[in-house]
Amino acid sequence: MDVEKTFDVHRIREDFPILKQVVNGKPLVYLDNAATSQKPQVVLDEMNRYYLEENSNIHRGVHFLSDKATQSYEAARKKIRNFINANDHREVIFVRGTTEGVNLVASSYARRFLKEGDEIIISAMEHHSNIVPWQMLRDEKGVKLRVIPMNDNGELLIDEYETMFTNRTKFVAIVHVSNALGTINPVKQMVNIAHRHDVPVLIDGAQAVPHMRIDVQDIDADFYTFSAHKMYGPTGVGILYGKRRLLEEMIPYQGGGDMIKSVTFEKTIYNDLPHKFEAGTPNIVGGVGFGATIDFINGIDFDAAIAHEEEVLGYATNVLSDIKRVRIIGTAREKASVLSFTIDGIHPHDIGTILDDDGIAIRTGHHCAQPVMIRFGIPATARASFAMYNTKEEVDVLAKGIHKVIEVLG
Amino acid sequence: MSALRELYQEVILDHNKSPRNFRKMEDATRTVEGYNPLCGDRYTVYVKFEDDMVKDVSFEGAGCAISKASASVMSAAVKGKTKAEAEALFAVFHKLVTGEPDPTQELDTLGKLAAFSGVSEFPARVKCAILAWHTLYAAMESNEEKVSTE
């Protein structure tokens, strides 16, 4: 099927005003979507509208505006619930982003239920945000971390993973799509394996949600967390999905307003889900913007957008593979969005600067995944990461830029 | 392209490809590791002092062209200088790469270090240019064994 017929990338680009920008005299080629994606006009408009017409605090006012704001915020929660197919909107908790989602589960679930000597399984391709919270817990409680290894293509060794479970294994925390390698992990299968050992699983979905349809019930994830800003929404807001049974057992993450039913100096009764985990005035406009983001995605042919992204990634992989001295880092069979690479003898930081001179935005560095860099024996990579609005023409500009890097630095 | 050519001047490309004093020094007086966590640049700077003089400097490690060339040019520039002279050179170099005005024309004293003038147009690269210098400074002025640009 020719995806360009059902998905008009040039039409979609019109929805993202920032893409018209000129950088260093060249049209912006934005290939840093794994860091954060750009935002469509409709999301910006909705956030502006909220501030112009509804701004007030939620869940507490009897007045008109507070009621409107609460409705908008809670409507967003329900849209997100439908988008990820959660069973119940009370299982959808607003957080600041994926990092906070992981920290919430580490604090409110793992700290409560895990004991010294218990084991947590993570993977070799985790982002720092799905390593450090568990290390903090290790240092505090004496739990152990076990790491699923990966092969040279950047694929987790699922057979090894299966053998890692012991009667002390109490939690699994894994990334759905690697931000450094692009690998799509077989999370449904991995959850199934963990559940055979009665172990709950948290999935870091930050890089997955923008690039594939997520059904948390189909995956059977116990926790699934992601950020709005990587999926065309605003920064500072994200979601922790959790199964209701687990969320009910957990202790609150932070204390404050909105997360209580009643407070006296003797006793506090916590609020029901999801508010039990949402202390204080939240990022209301972020939530409303997130709702608009879901509307935007639902308003396009998302499956065709995904197919288009796959085509662009495949094209980029071929084009860059053909350039002498370029090495692609992360060659898993199942990949999404991310193309990490190095150029023999040239440091990624220099690649980034020279590409920027041509208006090409990529990420260079360790991508907050230093263990991945160590695994591949490199200090850093250059990373192009694609979104639905990227084109093959932009890949050609990138390839031309890489030739220029080699020409300038020799 | 011109700002880019200003950044990657011949001197820098040459010192990146063939860094001077790029070796371990077994009898160093001070050995300090410098690290830029942002981009993973990591260098070990070896210094041999004789009284107040920087008798010898060498370095090892890996990083971008700017950081490696800077370490190389620095090693050649400070060899044989007193600590005070080396520090004064660092101060002038710092002004150069951060684009501070130079009313007293100190920059004329920089020699090959002047090749880093283009860095001031690239704020994200200033840390690359001064990583080795920070490391050298730590070797001269403190007891630390590691420095970080963050």
Side-chain angles (χ1 to χ4, degrees), chain B residues 2-135:
Chain B
S2 62
L4 207 56
R5 285 288 177 205
E6 272 297 302
L7 178 65
Y8 293 108
Q9 294 183 22
E10 276 309 318
V11 171
I12 292 178
L13 296 175
D14 171 39
H15 279 256
N16 176 46
K17 285 260 170 217
S18 341
R20 322 296 198 267
N21 306 303
F22 192 63
R23 58 184 158 80
K24 191 173 179 176
M25 194 193 295
E26 297 293 348
D27 57 345
T29 322
R30 291 274 292 135
T31 301
V32 181
E33 188 180 288
Y35 179 48
N36 180 349
L38 188 70
C39 48
D41 292 355
R42 196 186 286 274
Y43 295 99
T44 303
V45 173
Y46 305 91
V47 196
K48 197 194 299 177
F49 294 115
E50 216 172 75
D51 300 324
D52 202 34
M53 197 179 76
V54 180
K55 178 82 176 159
D56 197 8
V57 183
S58 70
F59 74 105
E60 283 183 313
C64 66
I66 304 299
S67 64
K68 187 180 257 183
S70 176
S72 173
V73 175
M74 174 193 83
S75 69
V78 299
K79 213 183 276 193
K81 296 251 185 329
T82 64
K83 282 186 190 179
E85 286 167 340
E87 279 171 29
L89 209 51
F90 181 21
V92 180
F93 183 73
H94 197 279
K95 278 186 189 170
L96 175 79
V97 296
T98 53
E100 265 186 59
D102 173 35
T104 53
Q105 296 183 327
E106 288 171 309
L107 299 187
D108 293 345
T109 64
L110 281 172
K112 274 196 175 162
L113 294 171
F116 291 86
S117 60
V119 172
S120 64
E121 292 295 318
F122 296 84
R125 306 306 299 273
V126 171
K127 280 180 179 170
C128 310
I130 60 177
L131 175 60
W133 284 94
H134 269 302
T135 314

Side-chain angles (χ1 to χ4, degrees), chain A residues 291-339:
Chain A
T293 308
I294 301 292
D295 288 340
F296 167 76
I297 293 175
N298 288 339
I300 63 168
D301 186 343
F302 189 44
D303 292 320
I306 294 166
H308 166 77
E309 272 185 31
E310 282 172 5
E311 199 172 299
V312 172
L313 177 64
Y315 179 70
T317 306
N318 289 338
V319 169
L320 264 62
S321 299
D322 284 346
I323 302 176
K324 225 176 143 189
R325 290 171 63 186
V326 169
R327 174 188 172 201
I328 300 208
I329 307 292
T331 47
R333 270 159 304 177
E334 298 291 330
K335 279 185 68 174
S337 170
V338 167
L339 191 59

Side-chain angles (χ1 to χ4, degrees), chain A residues 63-331:
Chain A
H63 59 79
F64 177 80
L65 287 184
S66 176
D67 189 44
K68 292 279 274 186
T70 304
Q71 280 181 33
S72 292
Y73 191 69
E74 290 304 322
R77 191 193 308 275
K78 286 176 181 155
K79 288 172 192 173
I80 296 161
R81 178 225 147 179
N82 289 333
F83 188 70
I84 60 171
N85 193 32
N87 186 42
D88 190 317
H89 71 273
R90 285 168 292 192
E91 296 176 313
V92 175
I93 297 158
F94 278 114
V95 289
R96 275 187 297 148
T98 306
T99 298
E100 187 171 57
V102 177
N103 277 277
L104 193 160
V105 174
S107 275
S108 297
Y109 180 87
R111 179 180 284 136
R112 174 160 201 199
F113 294 113
L114 271 60
K115 298 181 181 63
E116 187 178 346
D118 285 347
E119 294 172 2
I120 298 172
I121 295 176
I122 61 174
S123 90
M125 63 177 77
E126 297 310 319
H127 185 274
H128 294 165
S129 60
N130 203 22
I131 300 174
V132 182
W134 309 112
Q135 283 177 333
M136 289 165 72
L137 198 69
R138 177 192 66 191
D139 297 343
E140 179 190 325
K141 300 208 60 161
V143 300
K144 292 188 177 128
L145 291 190
R146 306 203 53 197
V147 182
I148 311 165
M150 63 176 154
N151 63 24
D152 291 341
N153 295 326
E155 292 165 321
L156 294 180
L157 304 180
I158 302 302
D159 293 346
E160 293 260 336
Y161 164 65
E162 251 187 301
T163 66
M164 289 167 73
F165 286 86
T166 70
N167 56 5
R168 299 309 304 265
T169 308
K170 295 290 158 60
F171 203 78
V172 173
I174 44 171
V175 70
H176 195 164
V177 172
S178 160
N179 73 309
L181 301 168
T183 311
I184 304 173
N185 288 315
V187 287
K188 187 175 174 180
Q189 183 193 357
M190 293 175 81
V191 167
N192 187 274
I193 291 166
H195 285 176
R196 289 211 296 269
H197 296 89
D198 286 326
V199 175
V201 180
L202 172 140
I203 299 169
D204 164 357
Q207 301 291 348
V209 179
H211 308 295
M212 61 190 70
R213 288 199 182 273
I214 301 299
D215 182 331
V216 290
Q217 293 190 77
D218 179 57
I219 296 169
D220 203 18
D222 299 283
F223 300 100
Y224 195 101
T225 182
F226 54 101
S227 304
H229 75 95
K230 293 192 198 287
M231 53 184 292
Y232 315 108
T235 55
V237 65
I239 291 297
L240 171 69
Y241 158 82
K243 283 182 182 165
R244 194 170 161 193
R245 177 179 56 81
L246 294 168
L247 293 173
E248 297 280 11
E249 288 172 4
M250 287 158 60
I251 50 172
Y253 178 49
Q254 292 176 327
D258 228 24
M259 55 75 72
I260 44 82
K261 267 186 179 158
S262 72
V263 177
T264 65
F265 284 110
E266 287 71 41
K267 187 174 170 58
T268 289
I269 299 171
Y270 300 134
N271 205 340
D272 297 326
L273 292 174
H275 309 297
K276 176 173 131 182
F277 293 107
E278 296 179 349
T281 297
N283 180 355
I284 304 170
V285 72
V288 171
F290 202 170
T293 308
I294 301 292
D295 288 340
F296 167 76
I297 293 175
N298 288 339
I300 63 168
D301 186 343
F302 189 44
D303 292 320
I306 294 166
H308 166 77
E309 272 185 31
E310 282 172 5
E311 199 172 299
V312 172
L313 177 64
Y315 179 70
T317 306
N318 289 338
V319 169
L320 264 62
S321 299
D322 284 346
I323 302 176
K324 225 176 143 189
R325 290 171 63 186
V326 169
R327 174 188 172 201
I328 300 208
I329 307 292
T331 47

